[in-house]
Amino acid sequence: MDMWSTQDLYDNPVTSVFQYEGLWRSCVRQSSGFTECRPYFTILGLPAMLQAVRALMIVGIVLGAIGLLVSIFALKCIRIGNMEDSAKANMTLTSGIMFIISGLCAIAGVSVFANMLVTNFWMSTANMYTGMGGMVQTVQTRYTFGAALFVGWVAGGLTLIGGVMMCIACRGLAPDETNYKAVSYHASGHNVAYKPGGFKASTGFGSNMKNKKIYEGGAHTEDEAQSHPSKYDYV
């Protein structure tokens, strides 16, 4: 849009020429309806703040376009190969971050340009009304807010809100944890009854015999108990 700054018609409501300027060119519209626009043929001759606004708007538009493409491919209804839900969640988060940066760039660029307009407006007003009695000695063209500024503020705000919503929505696309670790539970002591005299002492001269544990179901050695677990070992 070219109407970033428009001519202030407060002091001159009836005019045959209406001027307005944008980031890339300035235009003049005559009362006959004929409009002529002239681009800025210089880069170094432009104010530094205007060049900064240009850069912010370009970065915002590029990031917004890339974020839009990424968000389209992140939809659940679109499948590319064997793409998992975790990959789509990451793509949604990435596009949300891009939208947030794009919205901030747009809001910052429009706000900087509006600050320039306000400063130039009051400087032009001070130069117009100089001299004794507040008589008008010089006539200068003052510029006020154009339609592009309000469109930029609204668009940047909507893009910022959309990016925040996409960052929040990526949590619903992430798959839930379904891995459970197997845990074995041993039976409590009251399920096993021991008989008195179940242990047999070994003499020092004999072979080293392993102690035996006698259960109600019969006598089993420790090796057999480990190799053949009972039904109470695991639940």
Coordinates of all heavy atoms in Angstrom, one line a residue, residues 117-205:
L117 N 6.2 10.2 11.6 CA 5.1 11.1 11.2 C 4.8 12.1 12.2 O 4.6 13.3 12.0 CB 3.9 10.3 10.7 CG 3.9 9.6 9.4 CD1 2.6 8.9 9.1 CD2 4.2 10.6 8.3
V118 N 4.6 11.6 13.5 CA 4.3 12.5 14.6 C 5.3 13.6 14.8 O 5.0 14.8 14.9 CB 4.0 11.7 15.9 CG1 3.8 12.6 17.1 CG2 2.8 10.8 15.7
T119 N 6.6 13.2 14.7 CA 7.7 14.1 14.9 C 7.7 15.1 13.8 O 7.8 16.4 14.1 CB 9.0 13.4 15.0 OG1 9.0 12.4 16.0 CG2 10.2 14.3 15.2
N120 N 7.6 14.7 12.6 CA 7.6 15.6 11.4 C 6.4 16.6 11.4 O 6.4 17.7 11.0 CB 7.7 14.9 10.1 CG 9.0 14.1 10.0 OD1 10.0 14.5 10.5 ND2 9.0 13.0 9.2
F121 N 5.2 16.0 11.9 CA 4.0 16.8 11.9 C 4.2 18.0 12.8 O 3.9 19.2 12.5 CB 2.8 15.9 12.3 CG 1.5 16.7 12.4 CD1 0.8 16.8 11.2 CD2 1.1 17.2 13.5 CE1 -0.5 17.4 11.2 CE2 -0.2 17.9 13.6 CZ -0.9 18.0 12.4
W122 N 4.7 17.8 14.1 CA 4.8 18.9 15.0 C 5.9 19.8 14.6 O 5.8 21.0 14.9 CB 5.0 18.3 16.4 CG 3.8 17.6 16.9 CD1 3.6 16.3 17.2 CD2 2.5 18.2 17.2 NE1 2.3 16.0 17.7 CE2 1.6 17.2 17.7 CE3 2.0 19.5 17.1 CZ2 0.3 17.5 18.0 CZ3 0.7 19.8 17.5 CH2 -0.1 18.8 17.9
M123 N 6.9 19.3 14.0 CA 8.0 20.2 13.5 C 7.5 21.1 12.4 O 7.8 22.3 12.4 CB 9.2 19.4 13.1 CG 10.0 18.7 14.2 SD 11.4 17.8 13.6 CE 12.4 19.1 12.9
S124 N 6.7 20.5 11.5 CA 6.1 21.4 10.4 C 5.1 22.4 11.0 O 5.1 23.5 10.5 CB 5.4 20.5 9.4 OG 6.3 19.5 8.9
T125 N 4.4 22.0 12.0 CA 3.4 22.9 12.6 C 4.2 24.1 13.3 O 3.7 25.2 13.2 CB 2.6 22.2 13.6 OG1 1.9 21.1 13.0 CG2 1.5 23.1 14.2
A126 N 5.3 23.8 13.9 CA 6.0 24.8 14.6 C 6.7 25.8 13.6 O 6.8 27.0 13.9 CB 7.1 24.2 15.5
N127 N 7.1 25.3 12.4 CA 7.7 26.1 11.4 C 6.6 27.0 10.7 O 6.9 28.0 10.2 CB 8.4 25.3 10.4 CG 9.6 24.6 11.0 OD1 10.2 25.2 12.0 ND2 10.0 23.5 10.5
M128 N 5.4 26.4 10.6 CA 4.3 27.2 9.9 C 3.9 28.4 10.7 O 3.7 29.5 10.2 CB 3.1 26.3 9.6 CG 3.4 25.2 8.6 SD 2.0 24.1 8.4 CE 0.7 25.2 7.9
Y129 N 3.7 28.2 12.0 CA 3.1 29.3 12.8 C 4.3 30.0 13.6 O 4.5 29.6 14.8 CB 2.1 28.8 13.8 CG 0.9 28.2 13.1 CD1 0.8 26.9 12.9 CD2 -0.1 29.1 12.7 CE1 -0.3 26.4 12.2 CE2 -1.3 28.6 12.0 CZ -1.3 27.2 11.8 OH -2.4 26.7 11.1
T130 N 5.0 30.8 12.9 CA 6.1 31.5 13.5 C 5.9 33.0 13.3 O 5.2 33.4 12.3 CB 7.5 31.1 12.9 OG1 7.4 31.3 11.5 CG2 7.8 29.7 13.3
G131 N 6.5 33.8 14.1 CA 6.4 35.3 13.9 C 5.4 35.9 14.9 O 4.9 35.2 15.8
M132 N 5.2 37.1 14.8 CA 4.4 37.8 15.8 C 2.9 37.5 15.5 O 2.5 37.6 14.4 CB 4.7 39.3 15.7 CG 6.1 39.7 16.1 SD 6.4 41.5 16.0 CE 5.2 42.0 17.2
G133 N 2.2 37.3 16.6 CA 0.8 37.1 16.5 C 0.4 35.8 15.9 O -0.8 35.6 15.6
G134 N 1.3 34.9 15.7 CA 1.0 33.6 15.2 C 0.6 33.6 13.7 O -0.2 32.8 13.3
M135 N 1.1 34.6 13.0 CA 0.8 34.7 11.6 C 1.5 33.6 10.8 O 2.6 33.3 11.1 CB 1.2 36.1 11.1 CG 0.5 37.2 11.7 SD -1.3 37.2 11.5 CE -1.3 37.5 9.7
V136 N 0.8 33.1 9.8 CA 1.4 32.1 9.0 C 2.4 32.7 8.0 O 2.0 33.5 7.2 CB 0.3 31.3 8.2 CG1 0.9 30.2 7.3 CG2 -0.7 30.7 9.2
Q137 N 3.6 32.4 8.1 CA 4.6 33.0 7.2 C 5.0 32.0 6.1 O 5.3 32.4 5.0 CB 5.9 33.4 8.0 CG 5.6 34.5 8.9 CD 6.9 34.9 9.6 OE1 7.9 34.2 9.6 NE2 6.9 36.1 10.2
T138 N 5.0 30.7 6.4 CA 5.4 29.7 5.4 C 4.3 28.6 5.3 O 3.6 28.3 6.3 CB 6.7 29.0 5.8 OG1 6.6 28.4 7.1 CG2 7.9 30.0 5.8
V139 N 4.1 28.1 4.2 CA 3.1 27.1 3.9 C 3.9 25.8 3.6 O 4.6 25.7 2.6 CB 2.2 27.4 2.8 CG1 1.2 26.3 2.6 CG2 1.5 28.7 3.1
Q140 N 3.8 24.8 4.5 CA 4.4 23.5 4.3 C 3.4 22.4 4.2 O 2.3 22.5 4.8 CB 5.4 23.2 5.4 CG 6.6 24.2 5.4 CD 7.6 23.9 6.5 OE1 7.4 22.9 7.2 NE2 8.7 24.6 6.6
T141 N 3.7 21.3 3.5 CA 2.8 20.2 3.4 C 3.0 19.3 4.6 O 4.2 18.8 4.9 CB 3.1 19.4 2.1 OG1 2.9 20.3 1.0 CG2 2.1 18.2 2.0
R142 N 2.0 19.1 5.4 CA 2.1 18.2 6.6 C 1.4 16.9 6.2 O 0.4 16.8 5.5 CB 1.4 18.8 7.8 CG 2.0 20.1 8.3 CD 1.4 20.6 9.5 NE -0.1 20.9 9.3 CZ -0.9 21.3 10.3 NH1 -0.4 21.6 11.5 NH2 -2.2 21.5 10.0
Y143 N 2.0 15.8 6.8 CA 1.5 14.5 6.5 C 0.9 13.9 7.8 O 1.5 14.1 8.9 CB 2.5 13.6 5.9 CG 2.9 14.0 4.5 CD1 4.0 14.9 4.3 CD2 2.3 13.5 3.4 CE1 4.4 15.3 3.0 CE2 2.6 13.9 2.1 CZ 3.7 14.8 1.9 OH 4.0 15.1 0.7
T144 N -0.1 13.1 7.7 CA -0.7 12.4 8.8 C -0.8 10.9 8.5 O -0.3 10.5 7.5 CB -2.1 13.0 9.1 OG1 -2.6 12.4 10.3 CG2 -3.1 12.8 7.9
F145 N -1.4 10.2 9.5 CA -1.5 8.8 9.3 C -2.3 8.3 8.1 O -3.4 8.9 7.9 CB -2.1 8.1 10.6 CG -1.2 8.2 11.8 CD1 -1.7 7.8 13.0 CD2 0.0 8.7 11.7 CE1 -0.9 7.9 14.2 CE2 0.8 8.8 12.9 CZ 0.3 8.4 14.1
G146 N -1.8 7.4 7.4 CA -2.5 6.8 6.3 C -3.2 5.5 6.6 O -3.0 5.0 7.7
A147 N -3.9 5.0 5.7 CA -4.6 3.7 5.9 C -3.7 2.5 6.1 O -4.0 1.6 6.8 CB -5.6 3.5 4.7
A148 N -2.5 2.6 5.5 CA -1.6 1.5 5.6 C -1.1 1.2 7.0 O -0.8 0.1 7.4 CB -0.4 1.7 4.7
L149 N -1.0 2.3 7.8 CA -0.6 2.1 9.2 C -1.6 1.3 10.0 O -1.2 0.4 10.8 CB -0.4 3.5 9.8 CG 0.7 4.4 9.2 CD1 0.8 5.7 10.0 CD2 2.1 3.6 9.2
F150 N -2.9 1.6 9.8 CA -3.9 0.9 10.6 C -4.0 -0.6 10.1 O -4.2 -1.5 10.9 CB -5.2 1.6 10.5 CG -5.2 3.0 10.9 CD1 -5.1 4.1 10.0 CD2 -5.3 3.3 12.3 CE1 -5.1 5.4 10.5 CE2 -5.3 4.6 12.7 CZ -5.2 5.7 11.8
V151 N -3.9 -0.8 8.8 CA -3.8 -2.1 8.3 C -2.6 -2.9 8.9 O -2.7 -4.1 9.2 CB -3.8 -2.1 6.8 CG1 -3.7 -3.5 6.2 CG2 -5.1 -1.5 6.2
G152 N -1.5 -2.2 9.0 CA -0.3 -2.9 9.5 C -0.4 -3.3 11.0 O 0.0 -4.4 11.4
W153 N -1.0 -2.4 11.7 CA -1.2 -2.7 13.2 C -2.2 -3.9 13.4 O -1.9 -4.8 14.2 CB -1.8 -1.4 13.9 CG -0.7 -0.5 14.4 CD1 0.5 -0.8 14.9 CD2 -0.7 0.9 14.3 NE1 1.2 0.3 15.2 CE2 0.5 1.4 14.8 CE3 -1.6 1.8 13.8 CZ2 0.8 2.7 14.9 CZ3 -1.3 3.2 13.8 CH2 -0.1 3.6 14.4
V154 N -3.3 -3.9 12.6 CA -4.3 -4.9 12.8 C -3.7 -6.3 12.3 O -3.8 -7.3 12.9 CB -5.5 -4.6 12.0 CG1 -6.5 -5.8 12.0 CG2 -6.2 -3.4 12.6
A155 N -3.0 -6.2 11.1 CA -2.4 -7.4 10.6 C -1.3 -8.0 11.5 O -1.2 -9.2 11.7 CB -1.8 -7.2 9.2
G156 N -0.5 -7.1 12.0 CA 0.6 -7.6 13.0 C 0.0 -8.2 14.2 O 0.5 -9.2 14.7
G157 N -1.1 -7.6 14.8 CA -1.7 -8.1 16.0 C -2.3 -9.5 15.7 O -2.2 -10.4 16.5
L158 N -3.0 -9.6 14.6 CA -3.6 -10.9 14.3 C -2.6 -12.0 14.0 O -2.7 -13.1 14.5 CB -4.5 -10.8 13.0 CG -5.8 -9.9 13.2 CD1 -6.5 -9.8 11.9 CD2 -6.7 -10.5 14.3
T159 N -1.5 -11.6 13.4 CA -0.4 -12.6 13.2 C 0.2 -13.0 14.5 O 0.5 -14.2 14.7 CB 0.6 -12.0 12.2 OG1 0.0 -11.5 11.0 CG2 1.7 -13.1 11.8
L160 N 0.4 -12.1 15.4 CA 1.0 -12.4 16.7 C 0.1 -13.3 17.5 O 0.5 -14.3 18.1 CB 1.2 -11.1 17.4 CG 1.9 -11.2 18.8 CD1 3.2 -11.9 18.7 CD2 2.0 -9.9 19.5
I161 N -1.2 -13.0 17.5 CA -2.2 -13.9 18.2 C -2.2 -15.3 17.6 O -2.3 -16.3 18.3 CB -3.6 -13.2 18.2 CG1 -3.5 -11.9 19.0 CG2 -4.6 -14.2 18.8 CD1 -4.8 -11.1 19.0
G162 N -2.2 -15.3 16.3 CA -2.2 -16.6 15.6 C -1.0 -17.5 15.9 O -1.1 -18.7 16.1
G163 N 0.2 -16.8 16.0 CA 1.4 -17.5 16.3 C 1.3 -18.1 17.7 O 1.8 -19.2 18.0
V164 N 0.8 -17.3 18.7 CA 0.7 -17.8 20.1 C -0.3 -19.0 20.1 O 0.0 -20.0 20.8 CB 0.2 -16.7 21.0 CG1 -0.1 -17.2 22.4 CG2 1.3 -15.6 21.0
M165 N -1.4 -18.9 19.4 CA -2.3 -20.0 19.4 C -1.7 -21.3 18.8 O -2.0 -22.4 19.3 CB -3.6 -19.6 18.7 CG -4.4 -18.5 19.3 SD -5.8 -18.0 18.4 CE -6.8 -19.5 18.4
M166 N -0.9 -21.1 17.8 CA -0.3 -22.3 17.1 C 0.7 -22.9 18.1 O 0.9 -24.2 18.1 CB 0.3 -21.9 15.8 CG -0.7 -21.6 14.7 SD 0.0 -21.5 13.1 CE 0.3 -23.2 12.8
C167 N 1.5 -22.1 18.8 CA 2.4 -22.7 19.8 C 1.7 -23.4 20.9 O 2.2 -24.4 21.4 CB 3.3 -21.5 20.4 SG 4.4 -20.7 19.2
I168 N 0.5 -23.0 21.3 CA -0.3 -23.7 22.3 C -0.9 -25.0 21.7 O -0.9 -26.0 22.4 CB -1.3 -22.8 22.9 CG1 -0.7 -21.6 23.6 CG2 -2.2 -23.5 23.8 CD1 -1.7 -20.6 24.1
A169 N -1.3 -24.9 20.4 CA -1.9 -26.1 19.8 C -1.0 -27.2 19.5 O -1.4 -28.3 19.4 CB -2.6 -25.6 18.5
C170 N 0.3 -26.9 19.5 CA 1.3 -28.0 19.2 C 1.4 -29.0 20.3 O 1.8 -30.2 20.0 CB 2.7 -27.4 18.9 SG 3.5 -26.8 20.4
R171 N 0.9 -28.7 21.5 CA 0.9 -29.7 22.6 C -0.1 -30.7 22.4 O 0.1 -31.9 22.8 CB 0.7 -29.0 23.9 CG 1.6 -27.8 24.2 CD 1.2 -27.0 25.4 NE 1.9 -27.2 26.5 CZ 1.7 -26.8 27.7 NH1 0.6 -26.0 27.9 NH2 2.4 -27.1 28.8
G172 N -1.2 -30.4 21.7 CA -2.2 -31.4 21.5 C -1.8 -32.4 20.3 O -2.4 -33.5 20.3
L173 N -0.9 -32.0 19.5 CA -0.4 -32.9 18.4 C 0.7 -33.8 18.8 O 0.9 -34.8 18.2 CB 0.1 -32.0 17.2 CG -0.9 -31.1 16.5 CD1 -0.3 -30.3 15.5 CD2 -2.0 -32.0 15.9
A174 N 1.3 -33.5 19.9 CA 2.4 -34.4 20.4 C 1.8 -35.7 20.9 O 0.9 -35.7 21.7 CB 3.2 -33.7 21.5
P175 N 2.4 -36.9 20.6 CA 1.9 -38.2 21.0 C 2.1 -38.3 22.5 O 3.1 -37.9 23.1 CB 2.7 -39.2 20.2 CG 3.9 -38.5 19.8 CD 3.6 -37.0 19.7
D176 N 1.2 -39.1 23.2 CA 1.4 -39.3 24.6 C 2.4 -40.4 24.8 O 2.7 -41.3 24.0 CB 0.0 -39.8 25.2 CG -1.0 -38.7 25.1 OD1 -0.6 -37.5 25.1 OD2 -2.2 -39.0 25.0
E177 N 3.0 -40.5 26.0 CA 3.9 -41.5 26.4 C 3.2 -42.8 26.7 O 2.3 -42.9 27.5 CB 4.7 -41.1 27.6 CG 5.6 -39.9 27.4 CD 6.8 -40.1 26.5 OE1 7.1 -41.3 26.4 OE2 7.3 -39.2 25.9
T178 N 3.6 -43.9 25.9 CA 3.0 -45.2 26.1 C 3.9 -46.3 26.5 O 3.6 -47.4 26.5 CB 2.3 -45.6 24.8 OG1 3.3 -45.6 23.7 CG2 1.2 -44.6 24.4
N179 N 5.1 -45.9 26.9 CA 6.1 -46.9 27.3 C 6.0 -47.1 28.8 O 6.1 -46.1 29.6 CB 7.5 -46.4 27.0 CG 7.7 -46.3 25.5 OD1 7.1 -47.1 24.7 ND2 8.5 -45.4 25.0
Y180 N 5.8 -48.4 29.3 CA 5.7 -48.7 30.7 C 6.8 -49.7 31.0 O 7.0 -50.7 30.3 CB 4.3 -49.3 31.0 CG 3.2 -48.3 30.7 CD1 2.5 -48.4 29.6 CD2 2.8 -47.4 31.7 CE1 1.4 -47.5 29.3 CE2 1.8 -46.5 31.5 CZ 1.1 -46.6 30.3 OH 0.1 -45.7 30.0
K181 N 7.5 -49.5 32.1 CA 8.5 -50.4 32.5 C 7.9 -51.6 33.3 O 7.0 -51.4 34.2 CB 9.5 -49.7 33.4 CG 10.3 -48.6 32.6 CD 11.3 -47.9 33.5 CE 12.0 -46.8 32.8 NZ 13.0 -46.1 33.6
A182 N 8.3 -52.8 33.0 CA 7.8 -53.9 33.7 C 8.4 -54.0 35.0 O 9.7 -53.9 35.2 CB 8.2 -55.2 32.9
V183 N 7.6 -54.3 36.0 CA 8.0 -54.3 37.4 C 7.5 -55.7 38.0 O 6.3 -56.0 37.8 CB 7.5 -53.2 38.3 CG1 7.9 -53.3 39.7 CG2 7.9 -51.8 37.6
S184 N 8.4 -56.4 38.6 CA 8.0 -57.7 39.2 C 7.8 -57.5 40.7 O 8.5 -56.8 41.4 CB 9.2 -58.7 39.0 OG 10.3 -58.3 39.6
Y185 N 6.8 -58.2 41.2 CA 6.4 -58.1 42.6 C 6.5 -59.5 43.2 O 6.0 -60.5 42.6 CB 4.9 -57.6 42.7 CG 4.7 -56.2 42.2 CD1 4.3 -56.0 40.8 CD2 4.9 -55.1 43.0 CE1 4.2 -54.7 40.3 CE2 4.7 -53.8 42.5 CZ 4.4 -53.6 41.2 OH 4.2 -52.4 40.7
H186 N 7.2 -59.6 44.3 CA 7.3 -60.8 45.0 C 6.2 -61.0 46.1 O 5.7 -60.0 46.6 CB 8.7 -60.9 45.7 CG 9.8 -60.9 44.7 ND1 10.3 -62.1 44.1 CD2 10.6 -59.9 44.2 CE1 11.3 -61.8 43.3 NE2 11.5 -60.5 43.4
A187 N 5.9 -62.2 46.3 CA 4.8 -62.5 47.3 C 5.3 -62.1 48.7 O 6.5 -62.1 49.0 CB 4.4 -63.9 47.3
S188 N 4.4 -61.7 49.5 CA 4.7 -61.3 50.9 C 5.1 -62.6 51.7 O 4.8 -63.7 51.3 CB 3.6 -60.6 51.6 OG 2.4 -61.4 51.5
G189 N 5.7 -62.4 52.9 CA 6.2 -63.5 53.7 C 5.1 -64.4 54.2 O 5.3 -65.6 54.4
H190 N 3.9 -63.9 54.4 CA 2.8 -64.8 55.0 C 2.3 -65.8 54.0 O 1.6 -66.7 54.4 CB 1.7 -63.9 55.5 CG 0.9 -63.2 54.4 ND1 1.3 -62.0 53.9 CD2 -0.2 -63.6 53.7 CE1 0.5 -61.6 53.0 NE2 -0.4 -62.6 52.8
N191 N 2.6 -65.7 52.7 CA 2.1 -66.7 51.7 C 3.0 -68.0 51.8 O 2.6 -69.0 51.2 CB 2.2 -66.1 50.3 CG 1.1 -65.0 50.1 OD1 0.1 -65.1 50.8 ND2 1.4 -64.0 49.3
V192 N 4.1 -67.9 52.4 CA 5.0 -69.1 52.4 C 5.1 -69.5 53.9 O 5.5 -68.7 54.7 CB 6.4 -68.7 51.8 CG1 7.3 -69.9 51.9 CG2 6.3 -68.2 50.4
A193 N 4.9 -70.8 54.1 CA 5.0 -71.3 55.5 C 6.2 -72.2 55.5 O 6.4 -73.0 54.7 CB 3.7 -72.1 55.8
Y194 N 7.0 -72.0 56.6 CA 8.2 -72.8 56.8 C 7.9 -73.9 57.9 O 7.2 -73.6 58.8 CB 9.4 -71.9 57.2 CG 9.8 -71.0 56.1 CD1 9.2 -69.7 56.0 CD2 10.8 -71.3 55.2 CE1 9.6 -68.8 55.0 CE2 11.2 -70.5 54.2 CZ 10.6 -69.2 54.1 OH 11.0 -68.4 53.2
K195 N 8.5 -75.0 57.7 CA 8.4 -76.1 58.7 C 9.6 -76.0 59.6 O 10.7 -75.7 59.2 CB 8.3 -77.4 58.1 CG 7.0 -77.7 57.4 CD 6.9 -79.1 56.9 CE 5.6 -79.4 56.2 NZ 5.5 -80.8 55.7
P196 N 9.4 -76.3 60.9 CA 10.6 -76.3 61.8 C 11.5 -77.4 61.4 O 11.1 -78.4 61.0 CB 9.9 -76.5 63.2 CG 8.6 -77.1 62.9 CD 8.1 -76.6 61.6
G197 N 12.8 -77.1 61.6 CA 13.8 -78.1 61.3 C 14.1 -78.2 59.8 O 14.6 -79.2 59.4
G198 N 13.8 -77.2 59.1 CA 13.9 -77.3 57.7 C 15.4 -77.1 57.2 O 15.7 -77.4 56.1
F199 N 16.3 -76.6 58.1 CA 17.7 -76.4 57.7 C 18.5 -77.5 58.4 O 18.3 -77.9 59.6 CB 18.2 -75.1 58.2 CG 17.5 -73.9 57.5 CD1 16.3 -73.3 58.0 CD2 18.0 -73.5 56.3 CE1 15.7 -72.3 57.3 CE2 17.3 -72.5 55.6 CZ 16.2 -71.9 56.1
K200 N 19.4 -78.1 57.7 CA 20.2 -79.1 58.2 C 21.7 -78.6 58.2 O 22.2 -78.2 57.2 CB 20.1 -80.3 57.3 CG 20.9 -81.5 57.8 CD 20.7 -82.7 56.8 CE 21.5 -83.9 57.3 NZ 21.3 -85.1 56.4
A201 N 22.3 -78.8 59.4 CA 23.6 -78.3 59.6 C 24.6 -79.2 58.9 O 24.4 -80.5 59.0 CB 24.0 -78.1 61.1
S202 N 25.6 -78.7 58.4 CA 26.6 -79.5 57.7 C 27.9 -79.6 58.5 O 28.2 -78.6 59.2 CB 27.0 -78.9 56.3 OG 27.5 -77.6 56.5
T203 N 28.5 -80.8 58.5 CA 29.7 -81.0 59.3 C 30.9 -80.4 58.5 O 30.9 -80.2 57.3 CB 29.9 -82.4 59.6 OG1 30.0 -83.1 58.3 CG2 28.7 -83.0 60.3
G204 N 32.0 -80.2 59.2 CA 33.2 -79.6 58.6 C 33.9 -80.6 57.8 O 34.7 -80.3 56.9
F205 N 33.7 -82.0 58.0 CA 34.5 -83.0 57.2 C 33.7 -83.4 56.0 O 34.4 -83.9 55.1 CB 34.7 -84.2 58.1 CG 35.4 -83.9 59.3 CD1 34.8 -83.7 60.6 CD2 36.8 -83.8 59.3 CE1 35.5 -83.5 61.7 CE2 37.5 -83.6 60.5 CZ 36.9 -83.4 61.7

